[in-house]
Amino acid sequence: MSAIDIREPEAQSVEVNILSEAFHRNPYPYLAQMRENEPVYWSQETRHWVLTRYDDVKVGLRDPSQFSSQSSETFVVRPDFREHLEPLVRMFSMWAVMKDDPEHKRLRGLINRAFHPDSLGDIHARAYETANWLIDRVYDQGEMDFMNDYAFALPAIIFAEILGMDRKDLPNFKALGAQIAHAAGRSDSLEVMLAGQQAMQMLAAYLEEVIKDRSANPRDDFVSYMVKEWREGGKLSLEEVVAQMVLLLAGGHTTTQNVIGAGLLQLFKQPDQLELLKTRPEIMKPAIEEIVRFTSPAQCPTRIAAHDIELRGRLIRKGDGVMPFVAAANRDPEVFANPDKLDLTREHNPHLGFGGGIHTCPGAFLARAEIPVAYRVLLQRIPDIRRKSQEEDWNMNLSFRGLQTFPVCWG
């Protein structure tokens, strides 16, 4: 049975709509209910099995013999949407994250070039320069939208420069990338999915022009490298070049911006931890790992059951969609002591925030370089930064949970 077929839900002791506004705003109480009472939960809204216990999620992320990554079709949560979204599904299907080996290995090897030390150069110096430049732009105003002006801008600028894009195009990338991410985040709104498809087509058209330019005028950047592999190496098609570039531009900085934004919000909520970060800079490395665990910005990748699987008394049929819910695993009390507490000095922290196995986030190294710089510069330059509002403006994205806006002030 296909993951997008309609079927009656099995009897379950809890009922959770993971597409609801309440879930998007604060998924953790619902995930705790599921983890405790229905650790293998059938979501009627998305037509996926939701895995919430750490051990199951870890297997779901890392074992393609049971849980395949060939899951592009599972983003269409309603069967009647499918006929309208063929271009979107086709693009998703070509992304490296939607492939098992050997196709994944082929595409991932090319993408890894963007994150190779030769491509990154002195990433710390670049991050410090960019972070200070961003603070300079807003400091005299005494306020900013932290998400747009800093959390998004810092990783996006660095990533765009690595790829060979111009800074002036960042606002366009942000708008289009957000719409693509919303579509990739699974929605029961055809309007949202169609907007994502249109954004994907617009970004693809832009990239085709960039590729034409690099074909005629190659530079020392990642786009030129991909063009060379297409034209000379024969390792991928033009369509695959465009697809990987859409993936990188739409999502390459998303998890980093969401960690920076949601992390600051949680530090404001637990001021003892914020003070700890200010006064004990030597804890920055474990602190960042803890913030990634606590915020879990890439909440739930998708998989497809490779064969019939019996798990905790439930039968997952071959072809069923499966969500290994990282956000639930990262707060499993069987693995993490006091999991709902942000503890920047946590010692045992085997979080799954950057995925696992062959699909470990290729940008994890870059994120681990940028996030500490983001906080160091921010807290050194604006030590009295504070929330301007108690409202929390979360996006309605199941895959990539983050704040849309976050007004802060100082002075």
Side-chain angles (χ1 to χ4, degrees):
M1 180 176 292
S2 168
I4 60 172
D5 287 340
I6 297 175
R7 64 159 151 171
E8 291 299 315
E10 301 178 35
Q12 300 183 120
S13 60
V14 296
E15 186 175 337
V16 177
N17 179 357
I18 64 174
L19 294 181
S20 69
E21 183 176 341
F23 185 90
H24 284 304
R25 291 191 180 284
N26 185 10
Y28 297 104
Y30 301 101
L31 293 172
Q33 290 179 36
M34 296 158 70
R35 189 174 53 235
E36 182 175 346
N37 300 300
E38 294 287 353
V40 180
Y41 177 83
W42 175 253
S43 167
Q44 182 66 8
E45 289 74 28
T46 66
R47 298 169 181 83
H48 285 72
W49 291 100
V50 179
L51 311 183
T52 50
R53 291 192 179 167
Y54 183 92
D55 289 345
D56 298 338
V57 171
K58 189 174 181 179
V59 172
L61 293 174
R62 298 186 177 190
D63 188 355
S65 70
Q66 296 190 69
F67 301 100
S68 167
S69 294
Q70 306 275 147
S71 55
S72 57
E73 291 188 10
T74 68
F75 283 103
V76 183
V77 300
R78 290 197 26 190
D80 52 322
F81 289 179
R82 177 58 194 259
E83 63 180 299
H84 304 288
L85 298 168
E86 289 291 345
L88 186 71
V89 173
R90 178 170 175 78
M91 177 69 75
F92 287 165
S93 72
M94 288 186 287
W95 287 359
V97 296
M98 299 293 176
K99 299 287 189 181
D100 294 328
D101 283 341
E103 283 296 284
H104 169 267
K105 186 176 182 179
R106 176 177 66 90
L107 294 172
R108 176 67 178 258
L110 295 167
I111 288 174
N112 282 348
R113 182 67 176 79
F115 302 100
H116 192 275
D118 291 344
S119 301
L120 297 177
D122 189 348
I123 191 61
H124 292 91
R126 187 184 301 189
Y128 272 105
E129 179 185 1
T130 305
N132 276 294
W133 178 73
L134 291 170
I135 297 296
D136 288 342
R137 294 179 69 200
V138 299
Y139 187 80
D140 290 340
Q141 299 172 15
E143 63 180 21
M144 65 172 159
D145 173 7
F146 186 71
M147 291 308 298
N148 184 69
D149 296 332
Y150 195 76
F152 160 76
L154 175 60
I157 287 172
I158 294 172
F159 198 66
E161 290 176 348
I162 290 170
L163 296 184
M165 303 290 107
D166 293 326
R167 282 190 184 187
K168 65 179 178 61
D169 292 325
L170 281 178
N172 191 39
F173 292 153
K174 182 184 181 185
L176 296 177
Q179 290 178 308
I180 296 170
H182 276 304
R186 288 175 295 279
S187 172
D188 57 358
S189 164
L190 181 58
E191 182 181 1
V192 168
M193 299 293 286
L194 287 172
Q197 180 167 267
Q198 183 181 28
M200 178 269 294
Q201 291 170 324
M202 292 172 66
L203 185 54
Y206 167 87
L207 288 168
E208 287 170 4
E209 291 301 312
V210 173
I211 289 168
K212 286 181 184 178
D213 174 71
R214 296 301 196 278
S215 296
N217 306 291
R219 304 181 193 174
D220 184 20
D221 60 28
F222 181 71
V223 180
S224 299
Y225 165 77
M226 292 287 277
V227 169
K228 183 178 180 181
E229 292 299 310
W230 157 53
R231 295 177 67 91
E232 299 177 14
K235 295 182 180 179
L236 71 172
S237 67
L238 175 59
E239 197 174 15
E240 286 177 321
V241 173
V242 173
Q244 306 321 307
M245 292 301 297
V246 168
L247 168 63
L248 291 171
L249 284 172
H253 59 270
T254 302
T255 53
T256 303
Q257 78 174 47
N258 288 343
V259 169
I260 294 171
L264 183 64
L265 176 63
Q266 296 305 326
L267 289 168
F268 284 152
K269 289 183 174 183
Q270 300 187 45
D272 62 316
Q273 297 300 297
L274 177 59
E275 189 61 25
L276 200 61
L277 198 61
K278 289 179 178 179
T279 57
R280 293 184 56 192
E282 72 275 9
I283 69 165
M284 183 63 78
K285 185 174 181 179
I288 296 309
E289 298 302 317
E290 173 67 351
I291 291 171
V292 172
R293 177 197 74 84
F294 199 81
T295 60
S296 295
Q299 285 197 129
C300 55
T302 55
R303 300 289 188 265
I304 291 283
H307 52 79
D308 286 357
I309 300 168
E310 217 173 305
L311 183 62
R312 301 192 188 275
R314 296 292 188 186
L315 175 61
I316 302 175
R317 298 182 182 92
K318 179 180 179 179
D320 277 357
V322 180
M323 291 183 195
F325 225 100
V326 171
N330 279 347
R331 297 204 188 187
D332 189 336
E334 294 295 318
V335 179
F336 303 97
N338 199 6
D340 293 317
K341 164 70 176 171
L342 182 70
D343 179 2
L344 300 186
T345 60
R346 186 181 297 273
E347 294 182 358
H348 179 67
N349 192 1
H351 70 79
L352 302 174
F354 290 119
I358 64 171
H359 288 287
T360 298
C361 175
F365 170 79
L366 184 59
R368 286 180 167 123
E370 292 172 340
I371 298 169
V373 172
Y375 287 130
R376 284 194 186 103
V377 172
L378 180 74
L379 297 178
Q380 288 170 1
R381 296 285 306 275
I382 316 178
D384 59 338
I385 191 169
R386 59 190 182 276
R387 298 172 70 175
K388 191 176 178 182
S389 167
Q390 295 303 304
E391 297 294 321
E392 296 181 10
D393 184 19
W394 292 98
N395 63 24
M396 299 293 111
N397 191 315
L398 192 61
S399 292
F400 306 107
R401 183 172 186 258
L403 293 161
Q404 296 187 112
T405 60
F406 186 8
V408 297
C409 59
W410 55 92

